[in-house]
Amino acid sequence: WPIAKASPEFSNESYHMVARVVAALCNIATVGVVYAIGRRLIGQWGGVLAALFLAVMPLHVKYSHFIQVDLIAAFFMTLVLWSALRIWDEGKTKWYILTGILVGAAGASQFWGFTAGAALILAHLGRVLSGRGPGSRPAFLGALLLIPVTFVALSPHLVFQWGERYRESFAKIHQRGAA
């Protein structure tokens, strides 16, 4: 978004249209991922019903029309659940890596997106403790390392301007308290 916002060819209307299209595409894609999760857990009709329920959920539909970063976080978090199921099923390194990247992307879009990391941990522990097969400790540790790497890659301004943002936030809090 910063590149589109800084570009002289982009007007506010263009920026808002692009952002709304991205939000709508994320919501549509989330419905597809929910279908895949439902199909994996419950079967074909479970996937269809899960996707249908999400597609007609009022808040989901409402947010599809507005520019909300919550939608992008929800999309990445849903992908985290899907890839964590793949860890549970197969335990392959590629699913660990993908899950770590997706958790970092979810956290970069909204800080609460980092809570999806619990799915990575539970999928790994569940695979190891249930006897479904050995979980790959190096792949698991690599996935954990990829979370902050992805976060910094997608949101470098939050890391490199942390002190400035920290001071601004506390100045606003102090002003509200003094008023």
Side-chain angles (χ1 to χ4, degrees):
W1 301 124
I3 294 170
K5 195 71 170 164
S7 174
E9 295 87 31
F10 265 78
S11 64
N12 272 346
E13 295 83 24
S14 298
Y15 171 75
H16 282 66
M17 183 55 72
V18 169
R20 287 181 71 180
V21 167
V22 168
L25 290 175
C26 279
N27 273 4
I28 292 167
T30 302
V31 170
V33 177
V34 166
Y35 166 76
I37 292 170
R39 187 185 68 204
R40 157 60 182 82
L41 294 175
I42 305 169
Q44 177 92 16
W45 284 106
V48 169
L49 287 175
L52 179 65
F53 288 148
L54 180 62
V56 299
M57 190 176 294
L59 197 57
H60 187 75
V61 173
K62 177 183 175 184
Y63 278 11
S64 294
H65 297 285
F66 301 109
I67 304 166
Q68 296 283 335
V69 292
D70 299 340
L71 305 171
I72 298 169
F75 169 66
F76 284 121
M77 292 177 79
T78 307
L79 280 173
V80 167
L81 292 176
W82 175 79
S83 63
L85 284 171
R86 305 297 293 201
I87 290 172
W88 174 267
D89 288 340
E90 302 172 23
K92 292 183 179 177
T93 301
K94 67 180 178 181
W95 299 119
Y96 280 98
I97 291 169
L98 178 63
T99 306
I101 291 169
L102 292 170
V103 171
S109 57
Q110 276 288 51
F111 285 133
W112 52 262
F114 285 119
T115 61
L120 167 65
I121 295 166
L122 292 174
H124 176 72
L125 290 177
R127 182 167 180 77
V128 171
L129 297 176
S130 71
R132 292 183 67 86
S136 172
R137 183 176 293 164
F140 177 66
L141 295 175
L144 292 177
L145 179 65
L146 281 171
I147 294 170
V149 169
T150 304
F151 172 76
V152 171
L154 295 177
S155 298
H157 62 282
L158 293 176
V159 175
F160 299 116
Q161 295 176 350
W162 181 256
E164 180 182 323
R165 293 189 182 277
Y166 183 77
R167 282 191 302 278
E168 288 174 8
S169 297
F170 277 96
K172 289 178 185 176
I173 291 170
H174 179 68
Q175 289 174 350
R176 283 186 211 144

